[in-house]
Amino acid sequence: MEKSRDRLIHSVADRFQVQEKQIRVRKSEESVTALISFIVVQTDHDEIPLFVKQNRGDFLAEDNKKEILFYSWIKQQNIQLPIPECHVCQYDDDTGQSLLVLDDHSHSHHCTQWPLPPVMADCRKAIQAMAKVHASLWEHPALGDSIGSIPTPADIEQNENRFSNTLELFSREMEDRFSPAYKDVFQAAISNYYPLVSNRLINKDKLTLCHGDLHAWNFMYPKDSENSIYIIDWQSCNADIGAEDLAYMVGLHWTSERRQRYEMELLSLYYDSLIKGGVNNYSWDQCFLDYRIAVIGQFFVPLWQWESKVPPYFWWPHIERAVQSFRDLECEELLTS
């Protein structure tokens, strides 16, 4: 802990060209994977509030590296996205430890309380922010290389086999809590998802940078309507079909009743925002089809969470929501086997 604190103070002092005594740690809290700190830098003219994430390196090290690479690359490219400004992003390949220092917006923004969804005014801002990221990086030549991984054909085959096996183990452990009918839907989704998207992924056709974990609690919503919204926690970012983020946020995390009320409105807003953002090779029909395909892709999420020993109160509701979204959007007609 003391070494992490010293490293933090030294890195921030170097970045802002201040003495270490001008840095005050306001609050620190330790999570399963990281030490989170809120600090204040006292300059000659101002106080600068900062948010700091220090990952230990013994859990999800590759995901932590993804986040560091994301902020580093965005900063190098000078791309303006709805994310907090990054001041320090460091990763140690030997230890897997990382250090991320961002602007702290907790005084002007808030996160909605889990598991409550945001009010619709905030949902619309979130969708527009997501679309801004997707439009800014739509078919970017760096996708799959400098930023955002893309699975190879071998990866795709391995994933399909892995999740088929995971489904068998999951079904066995759940016993009568997981019906044969639901198991059949899950297996059909696993068997058909990659055939629906593999050519797009391999050819980088109409792909963008997806957040990969874009639930409502990874947005910082402004307390004042004039402020911008921010997207945080980029450890899972990858190159993918943009609708994956929306299907994850709405199709997997909302109750059926709320989703049915607002789903098409938000999908339409997402599409319109892409077009306004400069995407000109994407039709509404393709967007709607992509969303339905992305809903099929959500069946992997609760299986991965169970496999990763995530507590059941996270993944258990996802099972029902994934099946209901699949049925409501008539995704079965997209399946070929």
Side-chain angles (χ1 to χ4, degrees), residues 92-199:
D92 188 321
D93 281 306
D94 293 329
T95 65
Q97 295 178 346
S98 60
L99 172 64
L100 185 65
V101 181
L102 308 172
D103 278 345
D104 173 19
H105 294 285
S106 59
H107 57 289
S108 58
H109 289 66
H110 70 97
C111 293
T112 190
Q113 183 181 2
W114 187 87
L116 297 177
V119 297
M120 277 306 296
D122 283 341
C123 288
R124 294 183 185 102
K125 291 176 184 176
I127 295 299
Q128 289 172 313
M130 176 177 67
K132 180 176 175 59
V133 173
H134 291 176
S136 298
L137 297 170
W138 191 265
E139 294 192 327
H140 196 286
L143 288 174
D145 297 317
S146 304
I147 187 76
S149 59
I150 297 177
T152 65
D155 293 332
I156 289 171
E157 182 179 1
Q158 184 180 28
N159 280 342
E160 189 173 323
N161 292 334
R162 168 191 162 193
F163 280 101
S164 290
N165 292 333
T166 300
L167 177 61
E168 285 298 326
L169 296 173
F170 176 78
S171 178
R172 206 174 302 157
E173 182 169 308
M174 290 299 103
E175 299 184 66
D176 60 5
R177 290 169 291 191
F178 187 63
S179 72
Y182 272 28
K183 182 182 177 183
D184 288 344
V185 176
F186 267 71
Q187 185 58 66
I190 292 169
S191 300
N192 283 271
Y193 175 72
Y194 281 116
L196 288 168
V197 300
S198 59
N199 285 338

Side-chain angles (χ1 to χ4, degrees), residues 21 64 66 79 97 113 144 160 174 206 272 280 306:
K21 65 181 181 181
N64 299 332
K66 270 189 189 181
I79 299 174
Q97 295 178 346
Q113 183 181 2
E160 189 173 323
M174 290 299 103
K206 299 179 181 64
D272 290 344
N280 56 18
W306 173 80

Side-chain angles (χ1 to χ4, degrees), residues 277-328:
V279 174
N280 56 18
N281 63 342
Y282 198 50
S283 69
W284 163 252
D285 287 344
Q286 181 69 67
C287 181
F288 183 49
L289 175 61
D290 281 353
Y291 183 71
R292 295 169 71 204
I293 292 172
V295 164
I296 297 173
Q298 300 315 303
F299 284 94
F300 291 89
V301 177
L303 293 177
W304 175 85
Q305 291 174 322
W306 173 80
E307 181 183 60
S308 302
K309 303 190 185 308
V310 173
Y313 55 78
F314 284 107
W315 52 258
W316 182 250
H318 291 341
I319 294 172
E320 182 67 31
R321 291 170 187 168
V323 172
Q324 194 60 53
S325 296
F326 177 88
R327 289 174 173 169
D328 288 346

